[in-house]
Amino acid sequence: MSANSLPEGAAVWHSLEVNKALDLLDSNADSGLTSQDIQQRLQKYGPNELEETAGRSAWEILLDQFKNIMLLMLIGVALISGFLDLMRLQSGNLKPGEVPFKDTIAILAIVILNGILGYVQESRAEKALAALKKMTSPLVRVFRDARLVEIAAKELVPGDVMQLEAGMQIAADGRLIEESNLQIRESALTGEAEAVNKQASLKLPEETSLGDRLNVVFQGTEVVQGRAKVLVTNTGMTTELGKIATMLQAVESEPTPLQQRMTQLGNVLVTGSLILVVIVVAGGVIKDGGFKNIQELLEVSLSMAVAVVPEGLPAVITVTLALGTQRMVRQNALIRKLPAVETLGSVTTICSDKTGTLTQNKMVVQSISTNNKTFRVTGEGYAPIGDFQLDGQKISPEESPEILALSVACGVCNDSVLQKEQGEWAILGDPTEGALLTLAGKAGIEKDQWNSKLPRVAEFPFSSERKRMSVISQVQEVATGEASLRGVDPAIAGFLQSEPYLMFTKGSPELTLARSTQIHLGNNTAPLTEAQRQKILAENDQMASKGLRVLGFAYKPLTEIPPEDSDDTSEQNLVWLGLVGMLDAPRPEVRLAVQECRDAGIRPVMITGDHQLTARAIANDLGIAQEGNRLLTGQELQRMSDQELEQNVDLVSIYARVSPEHKLRIVQALQRRGRFVAMTGDGVNDAPALKQADIGIAMGITGTDVSKEASDMVLLDDNFATIVSATKEGRVVYTNIRRFIKYILGSNIGEVLTIAAAPLIGLGGVPLTPLQILWMNLVTDGLPALALAVEPPEPDVMQRPPFSPRESIFARGLGSYMIRIGIIFAIITIALMWWAYQHTHAPGYQGDRDTWKTMVFTTLCIAQMGHAIAIRSNNRLTIEMNPFSNIFVLAAVVVTTILQLMLVYVPPLRDFFGTHYLNMQELGVCIGFSALMFVWIELEKIFLRIMGKKAV
């Protein structure tokens, strides 16, 4: 078969016999490919590498920042301002000491600063693909031309025959030809923690899920033990890892709600400003009967354009989000992408993994069944502290020989170690065996002591075919003080007649029970009746229906150590001990977090690869599943079309036996329903879903580098409750962003209307220069806005549904507030401006006639200080609030007022900013008019309270 006729990767390799796979790829299991084959296939398939689609370059990202409509308008303003300064410079019309081009330089500096801020946020390259590439092996051993050679992994082609050994990273997908005791760790790809036993001889159904394909290996996984010979079937982008890379690059990043709102805000402000400029210029031309004052009108227009753009807003938002990330880190949530801080506040659905996130990732025994009695076991985690309860009554293990006997089996038939580290109990080994050691400890059975009483001399290891393991121990005599017990510990005295060895068996309850012929009752054994057998099976089903993982235990006295391969004959005629049911117990804090989600209008959804009974038990326990909610399995989901899934997705709160690749479909279905989705994940396969989700959340402890790089947020403690805390913080951040946008834009509208009014009411000149407006927008507005950004949360922040992520920035009355406050601002300032103009132009006035402009400038700035104090709460009066609950606002008001007075009373600053000295009467008038702003906002709150309405 030539390279051109090779299959295109559509072959379902796990469903083919080895010889059929070799025939399809025209390869030989012993000699591999020839040099000629390799060259042809390299040309056809290309190198075994993950390909990266071209993204935006650094220059393109930087240039994109200056496509923002507000920055474009500022660039235009700077150029026109520079042109007017140039004309004045050439005509000699500059005032003494006036610095030319200072407005142009200041505006362009702000434009560049905003551009750099945007670039820094956006230029963090997506490193998920780079992390994927790290999972590929650099070198690999293959058979070529009947020789074993070592080549670079990128030179692999379909049809190559790889040799695998323990410790190797697998360089391509392949079909096993032969293997010996092969175990592969596939957790990064499938999410399954335990290594998988592979078998070359299997032929599997086509629909077999990725994690159950036991006759194939995958690129990026690791050989834990054993060796194998593998036929390479897929390389590069056709491997399972390559498919993930393709999905990652296909997911397009959508603008966050905040980014969309800022774009909308810019469009509205610029459009409104341009309309107002046209009105002012047209009004001025009509009033003057021509273009004789066009330069003055252009200066007014420039000032208006600068006034309408909140130059300090991007910086304030960036700092606010950065402060939010610091607060979240203290709560174990690491934010990787800054806009995600605010985005969290819009989440309507949280899709969470079960293991380790909703649960402790610690198996805990919940109940045991012996001698037809079922005991409840209490305790948390791996701490060997807890009680045995029968019908609500505490039972001492010493009173129940069956509990002691079962506990001995749990401790002896065990390969794990229970130890205390830094004050916490931890397990070295398998979590299931850890739960059994903890159970034994609660009964007073310590493994170290029993290793000396029953030292292990042989074992039959667990295998997936037998679904059980057995340990053979030699019975050691101990000093009991009672000769009748022959020196054997009382806990196992009833196990023996005179046999020197004991075999303990644990595993599948059904299979272990099937090999049992007797039952342990008290300190004796009796024949196992059919009625008892049926009762044990019924109890097993009852435990399993509660979501418990159930193991059966039995023992057998032996006269000699059985031969190594005699497990089938030795594990017969066992004495049944009982059942142990365990559960990966829910985290105690998650129940409260789930309830907090419900109260906040957020729907929690569980997604797990675990059995549906276990999933439902945990979901019911935590309150995730509610009346009428459905459970959907991975197989059912696989059969659904995208449209069917979309119709059902709002009704499903539990997804069980789900593969990581299904998560992407679930996220997309929820998003098509208009939901705003947070999704957790830790494996490589989770990366596309994490990137697709509105908020991708990776696990900090168990997560792979790929999942972390694809995420917006990393949970440092892998805890669901941390997601809820971060969501609360996101809501607080969004509320504060809206608060300071109200604050900043209300004054900007006032500035624009004041500037526009000056020529229309016949006052000469522009009341504010672009430089003064930049000062107001950056300093007078900026410092208090930053202080408002750390305002503590309102008490009801998690007692309301999330605001729609698609709502306008002007929604819920914010737009009307800004216009209303802007108009009041303007009325107050225009009244002051009229008085100040008359005052400074009155006969006998000693100061500069342009002093009225400084009075307008000072009034606008100081009025904003009253605005900042009043806007801290929408409903409570300032006198009702603790002034020190946000000390930063008071500090910002004091510092900003001092800085503003320095512009008036420090000569060098006065010259640079073009202000004039104010006497005490003039300053007092400015402060008096400014105070009216504070009074108005407080009166609004009283009015709304009387009317029974809630302020925006």
Side-chain angles (χ1 to χ4, degrees):
M1 183 182 288
S2 69
N4 291 329
S5 60
L6 289 175
E8 293 292 341
V12 188
W13 299 105
H14 58 270
S15 67
L16 302 178
E17 298 280 3
V18 173
N19 291 334
K20 176 67 174 173
L22 285 164
D23 288 344
L24 274 174
L25 289 169
D26 196 16
S27 185
N28 186 289
D30 298 316
S31 60
L33 296 173
T34 66
S35 300
Q36 185 180 358
D37 290 334
I38 293 156
Q39 290 305 316
Q40 289 178 343
R41 297 186 190 200
L42 268 175
Q43 287 179 2
K44 177 175 174 59
Y45 293 104
N48 177 34
E49 293 178 320
L50 300 182
E51 299 164 8
E52 191 166 358
T53 55
R56 289 187 301 165
S57 67
W59 277 110
E60 286 174 322
I61 294 171
L62 184 61
L63 288 174
D64 282 348
Q65 306 311 309
F66 300 102
K67 294 176 183 177
N68 178 294
I69 190 167
M70 289 195 287
L71 292 188
L72 286 173
M73 189 171 82
L74 283 180
I75 292 169
V77 168
L79 293 175
I80 295 170
S81 177
F83 176 72
L84 292 176
D85 277 0
L86 182 64
M87 287 177 59
R88 281 206 301 271
L89 186 64
Q90 289 176 340
S91 61
N93 289 335
L94 287 177
K95 294 179 183 178
E98 185 179 352
V99 180
F101 307 115
K102 63 183 178 183
D103 291 342
T104 300
I105 292 167
I107 294 168
L108 288 178
I110 297 302
V111 168
I112 291 167
L113 180 63
N114 279 326
I116 291 170
L117 270 175
Y119 172 79
V120 169
Q121 280 188 48
E122 214 175 315
S123 64
R124 186 188 183 104
E126 288 294 345
K127 297 177 184 175
L129 198 66
L132 267 180
K133 287 182 176 179
K134 287 180 186 175
M135 295 179 65
T136 56
S137 173
L139 295 171
V140 62
R141 293 177 190 168
V142 295
F143 290 92
R144 286 185 171 178
D145 294 319
R147 290 186 301 116
L148 183 64
V149 294
E150 191 169 68
I151 63 167
K154 67 178 183 179
E155 295 173 13
L156 275 176
V157 293
D160 262 324
V161 176
M162 290 190 295
Q163 187 182 60
L164 300 181
E165 292 177 1
M168 283 186 171
Q169 201 173 35
I170 298 171
D173 290 2
R175 172 69 166 88
L176 286 171
I177 298 172
E178 60 185 53
E179 44 72 30
S180 174
N181 197 27
L182 183 67
Q183 284 193 342
I184 307 286
R185 184 179 288 116
E186 298 179 342
S187 56
L189 198 62
T190 64
E192 296 293 335
E194 294 182 10
V196 181
N197 294 292
K198 296 288 186 175
Q199 298 174 57
S201 59
L202 294 176
K203 179 184 175 184
L204 301 169
E206 286 192 18
E207 65 273 11
T208 305
S209 63
L210 194 72
D212 295 327
R213 295 177 190 173
L214 303 180
N215 57 3
V216 293
V217 296
F218 303 107
Q219 183 183 33
T221 58
E222 182 187 352
V223 182
V224 176
Q225 70 176 44
R227 56 184 177 76
K229 192 183 278 188
V230 176
L231 172 68
V232 174
T233 55
N234 296 92
T235 59
M237 298 301 281
T238 62
T239 63
E240 291 299 325
L241 215 57
K243 292 174 186 175
I244 294 168
T246 301
M247 285 192 286
L248 265 176
Q249 295 180 102
V251 175
E252 295 184 7
S253 298
E254 294 288 329
T256 68
L258 184 61
Q259 290 166 334
Q260 292 172 349
R261 287 163 181 152
M262 290 302 99
T263 301
Q264 180 199 22
L265 179 65
N267 293 338
V268 170
L269 290 179
V270 170
T271 303
S273 171
L274 292 175
I275 291 170
L276 206 54
V277 165
V278 170
I279 292 170
V280 170
V281 172
V285 169
I286 293 168
K287 180 173 174 289
D288 297 334
F291 293 92
K292 59 183 178 181
N293 291 322
I294 190 65
Q295 185 169 339
E296 184 181 305
L297 290 172
L298 278 176
E299 288 175 357
V300 170
S301 300
L302 291 179
S303 294
M304 287 171 57
V306 175
V308 82
V309 176
E311 289 85 3
L313 188 60
V316 173
I317 288 176
T318 300
V319 172
T320 302
L321 296 175
L323 291 172
T325 65
Q326 289 182 357
R327 291 193 295 272
M328 288 184 181
V329 165
R330 289 196 288 271
Q331 297 178 44
N332 290 314
L334 176 67
I335 301 296
R336 294 189 62 257
K337 297 171 184 174
L338 210 52
V341 177
E342 178 273 337
T343 308
L344 273 161
S346 301
V347 165
T348 62
T349 307
I350 299 176
C351 296
S352 174
D353 286 328
K354 177 182 73 69
T355 305
T357 308
L358 295 169
T359 63
Q360 301 174 41
N361 200 16
K362 296 176 181 176
M363 298 298 284
V364 180
V365 173
Q366 305 285 310
S367 65
I368 61 174
S369 176
T370 66
N371 190 17
N372 301 327
K373 293 178 184 174
T374 300
F375 299 87
R376 181 172 173 267
V377 185
T378 65
E380 294 282 344
Y382 291 132
I385 302 164
D387 298 326
F388 297 87
Q389 296 178 356
L390 181 64
D391 299 326
Q393 298 296 315
K394 181 179 173 182
I395 301 293
S396 170
E398 288 77 15
E399 298 172 18
S400 177
E402 291 97 338
I403 292 179
L404 274 181
L406 185 58
S407 299
V408 169
C410 289
V412 174
C413 190
N414 203 305
D415 292 326
S416 294
V417 177
L418 178 66
Q419 60 187 25
K420 203 168 190 177
E421 295 178 349
Q422 299 176 347
E424 285 198 12
W425 290 93
I427 281 294
L428 289 177
D430 181 69
T432 299
E433 294 201 325
L436 298 174
L437 281 184
T438 302
L439 173 70
K442 291 172 184 177
I445 304 296
E446 293 186 19
K447 185 179 179 183
D448 289 345
Q449 292 180 6
W450 280 85
N451 281 344
S452 60
K453 296 176 184 180
L454 290 171
R456 185 182 301 191
V457 292
E459 64 181 290
F460 298 126
F462 177 86
S463 73
S464 54
E465 294 82 20
R466 290 165 48 243
K467 293 186 179 178
R468 61 184 176 274
M469 70 172 283
S470 294
V471 167
I472 295 94
S473 298
Q474 187 173 5
V475 181
Q476 299 288 328
E477 293 188 357
V478 293
T480 64
E482 295 184 42
S484 61
L485 292 179
R486 298 170 39 256
V488 176
D489 191 288
I492 58 169
F495 288 14
L496 304 161
Q497 296 295 325
S498 58
E499 298 85 357
Y501 301 102
L502 268 176
M503 181 175 74
F504 292 98
T505 301
K506 75 165 186 252
S508 159
E510 296 91 344
L511 297 181
T512 305
L513 183 63
R515 289 175 171 262
S516 300
T517 55
Q518 298 182 80
I519 185 169
H520 190 76
L521 301 172
N523 278 319
N524 302 300
T525 60
L528 181 63
T529 66
E530 185 59 29
Q532 288 172 322
R533 195 181 295 276
Q534 292 305 317
K535 196 161 186 180
I536 291 167
L537 289 173
E539 183 60 34
N540 176 49
D541 291 342
Q542 177 70 16
M543 284 185 174
S545 70
K546 295 176 181 175
L548 300 182
R549 180 180 182 187
V550 189
L551 292 176
F553 284 81
Y555 74 91
K556 182 181 180 180
L558 298 173
T559 55
E560 60 181 4
I561 299 174
E564 188 174 337
D565 296 324
S566 64
D567 52 270
D568 191 51
T569 54
S570 297
E571 293 173 336
Q572 298 283 3
N573 301 314
L574 303 177
V575 181
W576 180 258
L577 277 172
L579 297 167
V580 174
M582 64 190 73
L583 191 69
D584 182 4
R587 291 177 179 265
E589 65 274 21
V590 169
R591 284 187 194 86
L592 189 61
V594 168
Q595 186 55 50
E596 198 172 357
C597 273
R598 298 280 185 202
D599 294 341
I602 301 169
R603 188 167 77 96
V605 174
M606 177 196 287
I607 300 179
T608 179
D610 217 333
H611 193 276
Q612 50 260 48
L613 290 175
T614 307
R616 188 177 286 283
I618 295 288
N620 288 337
D621 188 9
L622 292 174
I624 290 174
Q626 293 191 317
E627 195 68 36
N629 286 167
R630 283 187 58 196
L631 182 149
L632 199 65
T633 65
Q635 283 189 335
E636 292 169 332
L637 194 152
Q638 190 74 36
R639 291 193 293 267
M640 282 184 170
S641 67
D642 287 344
Q643 189 175 5
E644 287 172 325
L645 179 58
E646 186 181 334
Q647 289 169 353
N648 287 278
V649 76
D650 281 337
L651 304 173
V652 180
S653 288
I654 310 165
Y655 295 88
R657 288 293 193 216
V658 169
S659 301
E661 54 266 30
H662 291 146
K663 288 185 174 182
L664 182 60
R665 289 189 65 200
I666 294 169
V667 172
Q668 290 170 334
L670 283 164
Q671 288 174 331
R672 287 194 297 271
R673 299 285 294 180
R675 308 294 175 251
F676 210 71
V677 185
M679 168 69 79
T680 69
D682 54 9
V684 174
N685 259 12
D686 292 329
L690 292 178
K691 193 174 178 185
Q692 176 71 44
D694 300 291
I695 291 287
I697 303 171
M699 301 296 111
I701 299 172
T702 59
T704 57
D705 287 346
V706 181
S707 64
K708 290 174 186 175
E709 291 295 344
S711 69
D712 302 291
M713 182 174 99
V714 178
L715 291 185
L716 300 180
D717 59 356
D718 291 9
N719 192 339
F720 178 84
T722 301
I723 305 174
V724 182
S725 299
T727 301
K728 178 180 179 179
E729 187 61 47
R731 291 188 175 193
V732 173
V733 167
Y734 179 48
T735 300
N736 286 341
I737 286 175
R738 278 176 58 89
R739 182 177 283 117
F740 64 63
I741 284 175
K742 285 196 303 182
Y743 168 75
I744 290 174
L745 294 185
S747 69
N748 281 22
I749 290 170
E751 292 168 23
V752 171
L753 294 177
T754 301
I755 295 165
L760 295 180
I761 61 175
L763 306 184
V766 186
L768 300 168
T769 66
L771 187 62
Q772 290 170 349
I773 295 166
L774 284 176
W775 169 266
M776 283 194 293
N777 287 355
L778 291 172
V779 180
T780 312
D781 290 352
L783 288 179
L786 280 174
L788 290 169
V790 294
E791 191 67 30
E794 298 280 351
D796 65 344
V797 69
M798 291 296 279
Q799 302 296 317
R800 57 163 179 79
F803 296 127
S804 169
R806 291 160 188 84
E807 76 171 15
S808 161
I809 189 65
F810 305 109
R812 291 179 285 118
L814 189 141
S816 63
Y817 175 92
M818 293 184 328
I819 293 170
R820 185 173 70 251
I821 293 300
I823 291 171
I824 299 301
F825 223 118
I827 290 170
I828 292 170
T829 312
I830 291 167
L832 174 281
M833 182 168 65
W834 176 262
W835 182 90
Y837 186 84
Q838 302 304 323
H839 167 69
T840 56
H841 286 74
Y845 181 70
Q846 299 299 313
D848 192 300
R849 287 181 175 271
D850 279 346
T851 301
W852 68 276
K853 297 179 182 178
T854 302
M855 291 183 70
V856 171
F857 180 35
T858 304
T859 300
L860 280 169
C861 291
I862 296 178
Q864 270 292 72
M865 299 306 99
H867 190 193
I869 293 169
I871 205 174
R872 281 189 60 203
S873 175
N874 297 328
N875 306 297
R876 288 180 291 166
L877 298 176
T878 302
I879 58 171
E880 296 173 340
M881 298 179 68
N882 178 1
F884 300 105
S885 60
N886 187 350
I887 193 70
F888 299 105
V889 170
L890 285 178
V893 166
V894 171
V895 169
T896 306
T897 303
I898 292 170
L899 290 173
Q900 178 61 30
L901 294 177
M902 287 174 66
L903 265 57
V904 176
Y905 295 109
V906 177
L909 292 175
R910 192 163 64 224
D911 292 341
F912 185 77
F913 281 91
T915 58
H916 301 279
Y917 181 88
L918 298 180
N919 60 39
M920 287 302 102
Q921 179 202 1
E922 290 165 342
L923 181 61
V925 171
C926 292
I927 292 172
F929 271 90
S930 298
L932 294 175
M933 191 73 244
F934 173 80
V935 172
W936 175 272
I937 296 172
E938 293 295 284
L939 288 173
E940 267 197 6
K941 293 178 188 177
I942 293 171
F943 174 77
L944 290 171
R945 188 178 292 182
I946 292 169
M947 299 298 293
K949 294 181 180 178
K950 192 172 182 179
V952 57

